[in-house]
Amino acid sequence: MKQKTGRGVANATYIEICGTAVQSDVTYEDVSVRIYPGEDMNDYTVGRNCYYRQDIVLTGIDVTDERVTVGIVPGVTVEPGNMPAKKGGEKQVQVTARPGVEWFFELPEWLSAVIKGDTATYGNRVTYWGPEKVTFLAATANPHAASRSVDFIVAGETITITQDGAVLTAGGETSVAPEANATGSPAFTISEGLGWLATLNSEWGDWLGWADGAVTNEDEASSGSPRLAVKARSVNPSAVVRRGSIEIKGGDAIANPDYPALQATLSVVQQGARVEGSSVTVAPVAAEGLTGSFKATAGLPWDASVQTGGGWFALTGTVNGTTSGITSPQSVSFRTTAINTSSAQREGTIRIHAGNALDDAHPGPVFPLFSTLHNSRSASA
């Protein structure tokens, strides 16, 4: 005990403080700090019944200080759950190595790490000592639908950082009006930060196009629900809807057409065109300058013809043209050619045809909607 080797002896006189210690948010248990009343741990000239005064400031647990022992070092703490698939997703890890113990890891291409405000990016080796909180950040969105992971050995423990797989989901069907230049905004959901590409596909002709200023691709999705802008390039000439679609690809599916995931189809339909007729009642005598009216989807070619009752009235004036809109009535002129000599009403119909038939399966609006002309009873009846 008196050899004075320079390292002190096991039973030298000292004061020992025992308990727990908290450093960098890590709690260490069974920690002891030995305080030697002499000038240092090798000073054995301690006087009996003497008064000693020491001012002590504990600034941390230093592994190089032999006066400090740590009984229990807790394990590395990893925040529960996976890192989100989006770019910038976070995952926190609390490294609990004893102060002074070196640890390190190397970052893959899709991860960065922040320690005390300093950021390390892809390819860097991160080296640190002792306990510290590490915030892992996704440098890129996951380009796959499957999750991806990386393992690190930190302070003798293996930790796993897993990023969720990306998601691409088509929104509901988008309907546009039958008129030309009618617009719509199809929507879809994609993981934020993931690249995407939209491509048009029309089913019956090239009627569907992008609206002015439409965004059809992004290197990184700026939000989780991008909206597209489409328009009808022409009026629907049919009474039935016509369909188109938009193919959406995200992440690895853009460059790899054989990758089945991260692909979706948005459905767009254009409503069928309309024609609405009206009813007209005329006097029982022959008369000129009579009119009926109809309304139809704007932009369609139209023509009028007598369907029934042609023996007592006839069309006059314009009998064809272009429709001006469902809110803008258009006139058809006719005249009655003979007095109604019966006490009963007689009726006739003018047939308005608008649009053009495409084929038997998808007929144009050959609408059975007519202006009906009613002759009232004659005065002598």
Side-chain angles (χ1 to χ4, degrees):
M1 300 220 25
K2 295 181 181 180
Q3 291 177 357
K4 300 183 181 180
T5 62
R7 295 181 58 83
V9 292
N11 298 313
T13 301
Y14 57 85
I15 300 167
E16 188 173 55
I17 301 174
C18 300
T20 59
V22 178
Q23 187 165 339
S24 298
D25 296 326
V26 178
T27 300
Y28 299 88
E29 297 185 25
D30 294 342
V31 178
S32 66
V33 180
R34 293 179 180 180
I35 301 168
Y36 294 85
E39 292 185 3
D40 56 44
M41 62 191 303
N42 294 315
D43 184 353
Y44 306 106
T45 59
V46 180
R48 180 178 296 176
N49 297 324
C50 292
Y51 174 77
Y52 289 88
R53 176 188 177 92
Q54 275 196 346
D55 294 324
I56 302 169
V57 179
L58 297 180
T59 59
I61 309 170
D62 186 355
V63 72
T64 63
D65 192 337
E66 294 182 359
R67 298 172 301 172
V68 180
T69 60
V70 180
I72 300 177
V73 177
V76 175
T77 303
V78 181
E79 184 182 32
N82 292 342
M83 176 183 290
K86 67 178 183 178
K87 180 181 180 180
E90 296 186 4
K91 181 80 165 179
Q92 289 192 337
V93 174
Q94 177 66 66
V95 179
T96 56
R98 175 172 166 162
V101 173
E102 182 183 84
W103 51 268
F104 63 89
F105 56 81
E106 293 183 356
L107 291 167
E109 63 179 356
W110 58 274
L111 271 185
S112 62
V114 179
I115 303 177
K116 284 190 172 179
D118 295 329
T119 301
T121 56
Y122 161 60
N124 286 334
R125 176 176 172 139
V126 177
T127 303
Y128 213 79
W129 294 265
E132 194 52 65
K133 184 173 291 183
V134 182
T135 300
F136 289 98
L137 300 172
T140 62
N142 189 347
H144 307 282
S147 62
R148 58 181 175 180
S149 300
V150 62
D151 292 335
F152 298 115
I153 297 179
V154 178
E157 294 188 52
T158 300
I159 63 173
T160 301
I161 305 298
T162 300
Q163 186 182 30
D164 285 332
V167 175
L168 174 60
T169 305
E173 185 176 82
T174 299
S175 177
V176 301
E179 291 80 10
N181 296 316
T183 59
S185 299
F188 60 98
T189 300
I190 191 170
S191 296
E192 188 174 343
L194 193 67
W196 60 270
L197 172 68
T199 306
L200 287 172
N201 177 30
S202 293
E203 186 174 321
W204 302 331
D206 191 21
W207 68 269
L208 182 63
W210 297 117
D212 295 340
V215 177
T216 61
N217 65 86
E218 286 183 306
D219 292 334
E220 297 179 1
S222 55
S223 67
S225 299
R227 301 191 71 84
L228 302 170
V230 296
K231 70 176 181 180
R233 291 178 172 175
S234 59
V235 61
N236 187 352
S238 171
V240 298
V241 300
R242 57 180 177 180
R243 298 184 175 275
S245 62
I246 303 172
E247 303 299 324
I248 306 292
K249 295 182 179 180
D252 261 14
I254 297 175
N256 183 5
D258 296 328
Y259 184 59
L262 299 182
Q263 298 188 35
T265 301
L266 298 177
S267 178
V268 182
V269 298
Q270 187 180 28
Q271 300 168 17
R274 296 163 52 198
V275 171
E276 298 177 2
S278 61
S279 179
V280 180
T281 301
V282 299
V285 297
E288 299 285 341
L290 304 174
T291 60
S293 67
F294 71 94
K295 296 181 289 185
T297 297
L300 296 171
W302 68 272
D303 61 78
S305 59
V306 176
Q307 184 174 32
T308 63
W312 59 272
F313 75 96
L315 294 172
T316 61
T318 301
V319 293
N320 56 64
T322 302
T323 56
S324 57
I326 203 69
T327 60
S328 301
Q330 294 177 261
S331 297
V332 177
S333 300
F334 66 96
R335 61 187 177 88
T336 53
T337 57
I339 189 171
N340 185 0
T341 59
S342 170
S343 61
Q345 289 190 145
R346 57 183 176 182
E347 295 185 353
T349 55
I350 297 173
R351 183 176 186 269
I352 303 298
H353 165 254
N356 296 292
L358 295 178
D359 53 49
D360 292 339
H362 307 103
V366 184
F367 296 99
L369 300 172
F370 314 108
S371 297
T372 303
L373 310 179
H374 297 282
N375 266 13
S376 65
R377 293 183 179 183
S378 63
S380 59

